[in-house]
């Protein structure tokens, strides 16, 4: 007697559901620029959407809880002189956001916790190094203040936004770069390019360590993302213009681990990856559906789970980090679907009867603390993300100011701060030395008390704005 065996997986019955109308964000004029980016970025505190604006580029930043109709005069983040093409929230500070534009620059912004009362036009730092429009910005997953930008000049630049200076650059791509994705510890990134090649790059060695010609045979744009175990998930088109997905081992690019044809459509499939569940959500521009798959070690390796369908086509999509989902409702992902004039959150839920915390659905996830400093990463160190527990839900930390320390190029003899041990104390009279030490201690105490006062005021302001929104 034969018996069919159903694959066991806790994610087999994940279902998508759009939120109620009053929990959407209405009257948002989503950008109409012809660029294949997601136009949306989200974190546990804020939602950012690239919008139409006259006289340059702008994007809208809203507190995540501020749903409903958006006032047409709501202040925007303005500063770019050309249309904004891509935005990305810093994984280590929920108030820091990077943007890039057709004006050949990237900018880093500090978004205040309180609601904006006037347009924000002063970035913390402007990154100038590209000769053509900048289409991609991507933060390093584990190192503080490391930002990657890629432009239509086929150049990739890696910046330290703490100093505003470029650290590394790569010019190995002969044509337009479609997408870039860091691996889990930020030691490598993969790129797709108009020359139809998939590349794996080591930025600190400034070299391409692996490449594959035409992982998808079609000439339309491809996308690629690293999975948590080091494989690469790609989307593209067949020679007959059918959409296709693939899974590849970068140490052996000869044959794909999996290759699956999907459907016939023109929209580029944007992949969003959940490293904790090892699931991929595919959102096509112009589609009205979201397909989701589970990646496993068992054949056929990429398992189709289900499709969320709706009536309205999507203009773009945002993907909430795992620390922003609602663990009390067994929500494992939340996507923010952009329509022409609104943003609609879509929750992905695992049906469970119990109201208790589900350990198997929520392993420790990447937290907001960086694992290393920029200098350590540049020196060759690699660290996985610092994990946090989801058991009590996630509480965002208070805002930390991003300080940019620029070097003075005119100062040929930089002054160095000498430690007390380096001072020649023998040359000072005992009374003067004692007085100096006492004055230093008093100044330190004053600074500490002022810092505490600033923290208390920031917390009061945050509580006040959250309570009055």
């Amino acid at each position: 007697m034969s018996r069919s065996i159903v694959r066991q997986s806790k994610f087999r019955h994940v279902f998508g559901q759009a939120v109620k109308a009053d929990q959407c964000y209405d009257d948002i004029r989503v950008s109409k620029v012809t660029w294949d980016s997601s136009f949306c970025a989200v974190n546990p505190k804020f939602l950012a959407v690239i919008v139409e604006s006259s006289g340059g580029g702008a994007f809208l930043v809203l507190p995540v809880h501020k749903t409903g109709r958006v006032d047409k005069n709501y202040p925007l983040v303005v500063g770019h002189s050309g249309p904004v093409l891509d935005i990305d929230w810093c994984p280590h500070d929920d108030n820091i956001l990077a943007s890039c534009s057709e004006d050949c620059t990237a900018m880093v912004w500090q978004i205040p916790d309180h609601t904006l009362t006037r347009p924000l036009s002063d970035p913390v730092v402007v990154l100038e190094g590209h000769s053509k429009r900048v289409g991609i910005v991507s933060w390093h997953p584990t190192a503080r203040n490391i930002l990657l930008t890629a432009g239509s000049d086929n150049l990739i630049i890696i910046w330290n936004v703490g100093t505003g200076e470029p650290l590394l650059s790569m010019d190995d791509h002969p044509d337009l770069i479609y997408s870039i994705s860091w691996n889990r510890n930020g030691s490598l990134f993969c790129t797709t390019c108009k020359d139809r090649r998939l590349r794996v790059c080591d930025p600190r060695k400034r070299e391409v360590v692996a490449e594959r010609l035409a992982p998808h045979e079609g000439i339309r744009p491809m996308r690629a993302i690293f999975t948590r175990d080091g494989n690469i998930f790609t989307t593209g088109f067949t020679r007959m213009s059918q959409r296709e997905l693939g899974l590849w081992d970068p140490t052996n690019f000869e044959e794909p681990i999996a290759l699956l044809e999907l459907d016939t459509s023109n929209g580029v499939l944007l992949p969003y990856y959940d490293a904790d569940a090892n699931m991929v959500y595919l959102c096509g521009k112009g589609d009205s559906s979201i397909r989701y798959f589970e990646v496993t070690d068992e054949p056929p390796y990429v398992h189709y789970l289900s499709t969320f369908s709706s009536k309205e086509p999507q203009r773009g999509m945002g993907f909430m980090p795992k620390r922003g989902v609602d663990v009390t409702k067994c929500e494992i992902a939340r996507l923010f679907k952009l329509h022409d004039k609104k943003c609609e959150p879509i929750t992905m839920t695992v049906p469970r009867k119990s109201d208790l915390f589900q350990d198997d659905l929520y392993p420790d996830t990447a937290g907001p603390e960086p694992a290393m400093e920029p200098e350590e990463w540049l020196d060759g160190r690699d660290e996985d993300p610092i994990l946090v527990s989801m058991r009590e839900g996630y509480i965002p930390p208070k805002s930390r100011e991003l300080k940019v320390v620029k070097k003075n190029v005119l100062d040929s003899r930089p002054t160095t701060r000498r430690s007390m041990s380096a001072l020649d104390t023998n040359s000072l009279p005992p009374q003067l030395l004692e007085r100096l030490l006492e004055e230093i201690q008093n100044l330190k105490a004053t600074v500490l008390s002022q810092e505490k006062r600033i923290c208390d005021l920031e917390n009061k302001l945050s509580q006040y704005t959250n309570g009055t929104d």
Side-chain angles (χ1 to χ4, degrees):
M1 179 178 166
S2 65
R3 191 172 63 181
S4 62
I5 299 173
V6 178
R7 186 181 69 91
Q8 293 296 314
S9 169
K10 51 182 171 276
F11 302 114
R12 270 182 55 222
H13 302 292
V14 170
F15 67 95
Q17 190 171 23
V19 301
K20 295 176 181 176
D22 62 345
Q23 293 176 296
C24 295
Y25 308 84
D26 295 309
D27 287 356
I28 297 175
R29 296 173 300 155
V30 179
S31 174
K32 291 182 171 60
V33 67
T34 54
W35 187 256
D36 281 329
S37 80
S38 57
F39 290 169
C40 179
V42 65
N43 68 21
K45 277 188 179 181
F46 297 106
L47 167 72
V49 180
I50 302 173
V51 294
E52 285 285 289
S53 71
S54 55
F59 53 92
L60 172 74
V61 178
L62 293 168
V64 164
H65 59 79
K66 195 177 179 64
T67 55
R69 194 180 69 83
V70 179
D71 191 318
K72 65 178 181 181
N73 296 318
Y74 192 89
L76 302 176
V77 181
V78 294
H80 287 288
S81 57
V84 178
L85 300 178
D86 195 19
I87 49 178
D88 192 27
W89 287 106
C90 177
H92 308 127
D93 190 331
D94 287 341
N95 294 72
I96 299 294
L97 178 130
S99 63
C100 62
S101 163
E102 285 191 4
D103 64 8
C104 308
T105 68
M107 296 182 179
V108 178
W109 306 83
Q110 175 109 27
I111 308 298
D113 279 334
H114 58 82
T115 305
L116 291 175
T117 54
R118 61 170 186 261
L120 184 61
S121 57
D122 295 322
V124 180
V125 62
V126 180
L127 306 174
E128 297 175 306
H130 291 278
S131 58
K132 292 184 179 178
R133 65 183 177 181
V134 186
I136 298 171
V137 284
S138 180
W139 292 94
H140 191 283
T142 60
R144 188 195 307 273
N145 291 348
I146 298 288
L147 180 69
L148 179 151
T149 61
S152 295
D153 51 4
N154 311 331
L155 188 66
I156 295 171
I157 303 178
I158 295 175
W159 308 81
N160 179 353
V161 300
T163 61
E165 295 180 335
L167 299 176
L168 306 162
S169 65
M170 293 184 68
D171 57 0
D172 299 81
H173 296 75
D175 215 327
L176 180 67
I177 300 164
Y178 287 139
S179 72
I180 293 180
S181 169
W182 292 96
N183 67 352
R184 187 161 173 78
N185 66 5
S187 59
L188 304 168
F189 59 78
C190 64
T191 67
T192 58
C193 180
K194 198 174 180 180
D195 69 353
R196 299 173 61 215
R197 287 183 182 271
L198 168 65
R199 293 176 173 86
V200 179
C201 304
D202 185 330
R204 289 168 296 192
K205 292 181 180 176
R206 293 181 175 85
E207 66 181 24
V208 176
V209 294
E211 65 179 312
R212 158 84 195 202
L213 175 63
H216 301 283
E217 293 183 345
I219 59 172
R220 292 183 57 74
M222 294 183 295
R223 289 286 186 276
I225 52 172
F226 264 110
T227 63
R228 70 182 181 197
D229 47 12
N231 292 329
I232 297 175
F233 184 95
T234 60
T235 65
F237 293 81
T238 66
R239 193 172 293 164
M240 303 301 291
S241 290
Q242 277 199 304
R243 293 198 290 197
E244 189 176 48
L245 62 82
L247 187 65
W248 306 83
D249 178 358
T251 62
N252 179 17
F253 265 147
E254 294 301 315
E255 290 293 326
I257 300 172
L259 202 60
L260 180 66
E261 288 185 12
L262 295 175
D263 59 7
T264 304
S265 182
N266 290 329
V268 175
L269 284 169
L270 304 178
Y272 296 92
Y273 180 61
D274 177 355
D276 298 329
N278 220 8
M279 286 175 60
V280 179
Y281 300 83
L282 296 185
C283 311
K285 278 205 165 183
D287 289 7
S288 55
S289 62
I290 301 169
R291 293 181 182 85
Y292 38 104
F293 300 80
E294 185 179 2
V295 181
T296 70
D297 297 330
E298 307 163 0
Y301 304 106
V302 180
H303 304 269
Y304 170 75
L305 293 174
S306 188
T307 300
F308 168 81
S309 297
S310 58
K311 294 178 182 177
E312 297 290 326
Q314 54 227 18
R315 295 284 310 281
M317 193 70 70
F319 190 72
M320 174 71 80
K322 183 56 71 78
R323 53 196 173 88
V325 302
D326 188 346
V327 297
T328 63
K329 296 178 181 175
C330 293
E331 179 188 31
I332 60 163
R334 194 183 312 159
L335 295 101
F336 288 71
K337 174 181 173 178
L338 294 185
H339 300 244
D340 279 337
K341 290 197 173 177
K342 77 170 183 178
C343 177
E344 177 185 42
I346 296 164
T347 63
M348 296 289 175
T349 307
V350 177
R352 292 278 171 97
K353 291 181 179 178
S354 172
D355 291 334
L356 299 175
F357 178 76
Q358 307 291 315
D359 295 83
D360 60 326
L361 297 183
Y362 301 107
D364 289 354
T365 191
E369 284 300 317
M372 55 186 163
E373 297 299 319
E375 298 77 18
E376 294 175 309
W377 177 77
L378 200 59
D379 288 341
R381 183 175 162 192
D382 293 322
E383 292 285 348
D384 283 343
I386 296 175
L387 305 181
V388 294
S389 171
M390 295 287 290
R391 180 171 288 276
E392 305 299 328
Y394 175 70
I395 302 168
K398 71 180 186 67
S399 172
R400 295 182 303 234
E401 185 180 355
L402 173 64
K403 291 184 171 64
V404 178
V405 183
K406 294 194 175 182
K407 293 178 181 174
N408 185 356
V409 294
L410 301 177
D411 191 358
S412 57
R413 290 187 305 162
T415 57
T416 56
R417 183 178 170 185
R418 297 168 67 191
S419 65
M420 287 301 295
S421 59
L423 289 171
D424 185 7
T425 54
N426 294 328
S427 62
L428 292 173
Q431 290 178 333
L432 178 58
L433 177 61
E434 194 174 324
R435 200 162 66 241
L436 282 173
L437 288 169
E438 186 180 350
E439 191 172 344
I440 288 170
Q441 293 298 332
N442 290 337
L443 284 170
K444 283 183 176 178
T446 305
V447 169
L448 284 171
S449 66
Q450 293 297 334
E451 284 184 347
K452 186 176 183 303
R453 175 69 177 150
I454 289 169
C455 286
D456 291 342
L457 289 172
E458 282 181 341
N459 288 333
K460 282 183 181 177
L461 179 62
S462 177
Q463 290 168 6
Y464 173 74
T465 53
N466 289 339
T468 54
D469 271 348

